[in-house]
Amino acid sequence: MIQALADGILTGAIIALGAIGVTFTLEIMRFANFAHSELLTWGAYIALVIVTFAGPGTPTGPLSFGWQLLAAALIAAVLTGLAAWAVDTLVFRRLRRRGALPLTMVFAAFGAALVMRHLIVLVFGHESRYYTRELQIAVELLPGVRVLPDQIFILGLALAAMITLHAFLAWSRTGIAMRAMAESPALAQVCGIEVDAVVRLTWIIAGALAAFAGVFTGLTPQLHPEIGFNLLLSLFAAAILGGTGSLAGAVTGGFLVGLAENLSLLVISPGYKGAMPFLLLLAILILRPQGLFGARS
Amino acid sequence: MSHGVAPHLQVTDLVAGYVRGLPVVHGVSIEVDRREIVTLIGPNGAGKSTLLKAIAGLIASEKGRIRLGGRDVTALPAHRVVSSGIGFVPQTGNVFTTLTVHENLKVGAHLVRGSLNERLERAYALFPPLAARRPLRARALSGGERQMLAIARAVMADPTLLMLDEPTAGLAPRVVEEVFRQLRGLAEAGIAVLMVEQNARAALGVSDRGYVLTEGKNRFAGPARALLDDSRVAAAFLGGR
């Protein structure tokens, strides 16, 4: 039971990182980006390329990797952010400019997702990859609760990223401008805010957080071309559960979805784990369609 | 109005609309000088709001020229129009309801580099009711307070031209008076004020000059007093006498 809670929190942190990007895209660009999950995969593989050349580093303390992997994750975050923006420039922005219908955007996103996923398969193949072959021994955090030191580290990094983003949105003038544009692009422009600049920044933040989520997924324990895709439903369930547009919502949603997935294992067979985000999503849409933090009717 | 020098805002033969080839404004020319309030009146669909949006850069102009302080701003996108000195208060959705009063003012000065403290204090001094509402989200404000916030937000960027689309719509008479008094103060401080008003008689009462637009074209123009006294204008556009 407590073990499932611990696992749920760890999965939840990763889902939350991805869900933040989904909710930002929904709020600023106003479309459901079903290709967002592929950004996790891209981030994970970009970090893999860097690690392949630079090495994962000598294990530091109880961790299975050294600073090189962290540096790789940071570089992957920047590159994935730029990749997200590039996909927008190539596909989504053109459609937005033409006033594409929401359904068109959804299909375009699915198309972009397929292309992005298969590019990874083309280059890296289907087989599983590892950042590091170091074996890790789980530590007993509480009686009966075993976690890997890597997992604790990941949770800490994920929380730090969320707190940094929160501070940025709450205090910085650029953060306030982003929130302003989320509410009203027309009024934001009248205030001198450049829509394209905010869109670019949004993609970079969404892509960077997705890359972190991807690297963290790949670390525990392996990466394969479907690591992002397998989280797609969980990301959307978390974003919708939290109420779109709210950072706190996406984070809370992420943790709740992670917990629900892992706690469900106590009562149902692991084979059905994949259905949990779907069930949650259904329950949210029926009981509280605006999400936990959503204000809109 | 003209003192031999070019007027601050000079709109010449402007053609603009929401869809290219289907203009709503069919060649309107207006001028506004600093220190004066100019009101646009006319029936619904006359193109008054469209004209303001075109000047603000929110919709593209198909023909004609918009000059501000001698500089051509016709083709500038909205976010660049702001830095040329034009402040715009739209009719609806003119404050960010999810942001606090303080954040709304900060967003208004988005393009201003460096510390905003002095400007923020000046805005609160100009609109004292806002000072007490500083940490509240704008959705918690009354209609009059929202309008004040919308005007204060636009003034944060230090515009030389302030445009307002129906600034008194839906406000109580006492608040209407207060809004007009504020606009008078801003004009006296050197700003050119251009507004669209349904409340035509009251608006002309505080204005220096006015334009009557119909069907996207200039119909009448003149000093506010003269328009108020003109029986043709009064009968058709001021709701009779």
Side-chain angles (χ1 to χ4, degrees), chain A residues 10 136-139 146-153 219-220:
Chain A
L10 290 166
Q136 261 205 314
I137 299 158
V139 290
R146 295 184 163 276
V147 291
L148 296 172
D150 281 3
Q151 292 177 313
I152 300 173
F153 188 75
L219 254 180
T220 53

mmCIF file of all heavy atoms in Angstrom, chain A residues 10 136-139 146-153 219-220:
data_model
loop_
_atom_site.group_PDB
_atom_site.id
_atom_site.type_symbol
_atom_site.label_atom_id
_atom_site.label_comp_id
_atom_site.label_asym_id
_atom_site.label_seq_id
_atom_site.Cartn_x
_atom_site.Cartn_y
_atom_site.Cartn_z
ATOM 1 N N LEU A 10 6.096 9.066 -7.624
ATOM 2 C CA LEU A 10 7.185 9.159 -8.602
ATOM 3 C C LEU A 10 6.649 9.232 -10.029
ATOM 4 O O LEU A 10 7.057 10.083 -10.817
ATOM 5 C CB LEU A 10 8.121 7.954 -8.441
ATOM 6 C CG LEU A 10 8.934 7.980 -7.146
ATOM 7 C CD1 LEU A 10 9.578 6.629 -6.878
ATOM 8 C CD2 LEU A 10 9.976 9.082 -7.213
ATOM 9 N N GLN A 136 21.542 -0.521 -9.569
ATOM 10 C CA GLN A 136 21.259 0.275 -8.387
ATOM 11 C C GLN A 136 20.596 -0.576 -7.344
ATOM 12 O O GLN A 136 19.793 -1.454 -7.656
ATOM 13 C CB GLN A 136 20.312 1.405 -8.751
ATOM 14 C CG GLN A 136 21.027 2.697 -8.975
ATOM 15 C CD GLN A 136 20.098 3.828 -8.734
ATOM 16 O OE1 GLN A 136 18.974 3.833 -9.192
ATOM 17 N NE2 GLN A 136 20.551 4.779 -7.954
ATOM 18 N N ILE A 137 20.916 -0.336 -6.118
ATOM 19 C CA ILE A 137 20.262 -1.067 -5.049
ATOM 20 C C ILE A 137 19.229 -0.141 -4.408
ATOM 21 O O ILE A 137 19.534 0.995 -4.048
ATOM 22 C CB ILE A 137 21.291 -1.543 -4.013
ATOM 23 C CG1 ILE A 137 22.274 -2.486 -4.719
ATOM 24 C CG2 ILE A 137 20.599 -2.251 -2.849
ATOM 25 C CD1 ILE A 137 23.590 -2.622 -4.040
ATOM 26 N N ALA A 138 18.006 -0.642 -4.339
ATOM 27 C CA ALA A 138 16.947 0.169 -3.753
ATOM 28 C C ALA A 138 17.229 0.381 -2.271
ATOM 29 O O ALA A 138 17.770 -0.494 -1.599
ATOM 30 C CB ALA A 138 15.602 -0.525 -3.941
ATOM 31 N N VAL A 139 16.888 1.559 -1.804
ATOM 32 C CA VAL A 139 17.050 1.819 -0.378
ATOM 33 C C VAL A 139 15.673 1.731 0.273
ATOM 34 O O VAL A 139 14.655 2.045 -0.340
ATOM 35 C CB VAL A 139 17.675 3.199 -0.108
ATOM 36 C CG1 VAL A 139 19.124 3.209 -0.542
ATOM 37 C CG2 VAL A 139 16.893 4.287 -0.813
ATOM 38 N N ARG A 146 10.515 0.568 -0.734
ATOM 39 C CA ARG A 146 11.832 0.590 -1.363
ATOM 40 C C ARG A 146 11.801 1.501 -2.580
ATOM 41 O O ARG A 146 10.917 1.388 -3.427
ATOM 42 C CB ARG A 146 12.218 -0.825 -1.796
ATOM 43 C CG ARG A 146 12.399 -1.767 -0.638
ATOM 44 C CD ARG A 146 12.870 -3.128 -1.106
ATOM 45 N NE ARG A 146 13.404 -3.835 0.053
ATOM 46 C CZ ARG A 146 14.639 -3.691 0.498
ATOM 47 N NH1 ARG A 146 15.470 -2.872 -0.131
ATOM 48 N NH2 ARG A 146 15.055 -4.347 1.558
ATOM 49 N N VAL A 147 12.728 2.415 -2.636
ATOM 50 C CA VAL A 147 12.854 3.241 -3.841
ATOM 51 C C VAL A 147 14.318 3.303 -4.231
ATOM 52 O O VAL A 147 15.218 3.144 -3.400
ATOM 53 C CB VAL A 147 12.315 4.673 -3.644
ATOM 54 C CG1 VAL A 147 10.818 4.698 -3.498
ATOM 55 C CG2 VAL A 147 12.978 5.344 -2.453
ATOM 56 N N LEU A 148 14.546 3.562 -5.519
ATOM 57 C CA LEU A 148 15.902 3.732 -6.014
ATOM 58 C C LEU A 148 16.364 5.153 -5.704
ATOM 59 O O LEU A 148 15.558 6.088 -5.782
ATOM 60 C CB LEU A 148 15.951 3.495 -7.522
ATOM 61 C CG LEU A 148 15.605 2.086 -7.997
ATOM 62 C CD1 LEU A 148 15.493 2.059 -9.512
ATOM 63 C CD2 LEU A 148 16.655 1.097 -7.504
ATOM 64 N N PRO A 149 17.634 5.326 -5.378
ATOM 65 C CA PRO A 149 18.133 6.684 -5.161
ATOM 66 C C PRO A 149 17.870 7.579 -6.371
ATOM 67 O O PRO A 149 17.534 8.758 -6.210
ATOM 68 C CB PRO A 149 19.632 6.473 -4.950
ATOM 69 C CG PRO A 149 19.763 5.071 -4.468
ATOM 70 C CD PRO A 149 18.646 4.304 -5.103
ATOM 71 N N ASP A 150 17.979 7.011 -7.570
ATOM 72 C CA ASP A 150 17.688 7.800 -8.779
ATOM 73 C C ASP A 150 16.283 8.391 -8.732
ATOM 74 O O ASP A 150 16.050 9.524 -9.153
ATOM 75 C CB ASP A 150 17.773 6.898 -10.031
ATOM 76 C CG ASP A 150 19.213 6.668 -10.454
ATOM 77 O OD1 ASP A 150 20.103 7.156 -9.738
ATOM 78 O OD2 ASP A 150 19.426 5.994 -11.470
ATOM 79 N N GLN A 151 15.339 7.582 -8.232
ATOM 80 C CA GLN A 151 13.945 8.033 -8.214
ATOM 81 C C GLN A 151 13.746 9.224 -7.282
ATOM 82 O O GLN A 151 13.008 10.155 -7.592
ATOM 83 C CB GLN A 151 13.027 6.875 -7.803
ATOM 84 C CG GLN A 151 12.970 5.783 -8.861
ATOM 85 C CD GLN A 151 12.123 4.608 -8.411
ATOM 86 O OE1 GLN A 151 12.267 4.118 -7.293
ATOM 87 N NE2 GLN A 151 11.236 4.155 -9.278
ATOM 88 N N ILE A 152 14.415 9.159 -6.124
ATOM 89 C CA ILE A 152 14.300 10.276 -5.176
ATOM 90 C C ILE A 152 14.887 11.538 -5.793
ATOM 91 O O ILE A 152 14.301 12.627 -5.719
ATOM 92 C CB ILE A 152 15.032 9.931 -3.865
ATOM 93 C CG1 ILE A 152 14.396 8.686 -3.251
ATOM 94 C CG2 ILE A 152 14.982 11.105 -2.899
ATOM 95 C CD1 ILE A 152 15.148 8.172 -2.051
ATOM 96 N N PHE A 153 16.015 11.346 -6.472
ATOM 97 C CA PHE A 153 16.674 12.467 -7.122
ATOM 98 C C PHE A 153 15.766 13.085 -8.188
ATOM 99 O O PHE A 153 15.613 14.307 -8.296
ATOM 100 C CB PHE A 153 17.982 11.959 -7.749
ATOM 101 C CG PHE A 153 18.844 13.039 -8.288
ATOM 102 C CD1 PHE A 153 19.571 13.860 -7.432
ATOM 103 C CD2 PHE A 153 18.938 13.256 -9.657
ATOM 104 C CE1 PHE A 153 20.375 14.864 -7.924
ATOM 105 C CE2 PHE A 153 19.741 14.267 -10.155
ATOM 106 C CZ PHE A 153 20.461 15.071 -9.293
ATOM 107 N N LEU A 219 15.289 6.829 -17.470
ATOM 108 C CA LEU A 219 16.199 6.431 -16.403
ATOM 109 C C LEU A 219 15.614 5.312 -15.550
ATOM 110 O O LEU A 219 16.346 4.612 -14.855
ATOM 111 C CB LEU A 219 16.460 7.639 -15.499
ATOM 112 C CG LEU A 219 17.820 8.340 -15.580
ATOM 113 C CD1 LEU A 219 17.849 9.491 -14.607
ATOM 114 C CD2 LEU A 219 18.971 7.393 -15.318
ATOM 115 N N THR A 220 14.301 5.210 -15.549
ATOM 116 C CA THR A 220 13.664 4.256 -14.639
ATOM 117 C C THR A 220 12.781 3.263 -15.391
ATOM 118 O O THR A 220 11.584 3.406 -15.356
ATOM 119 C CB THR A 220 12.813 5.013 -13.607
ATOM 120 O OG1 THR A 220 11.929 5.896 -14.330
ATOM 121 C CG2 THR A 220 13.641 5.837 -12.650
#
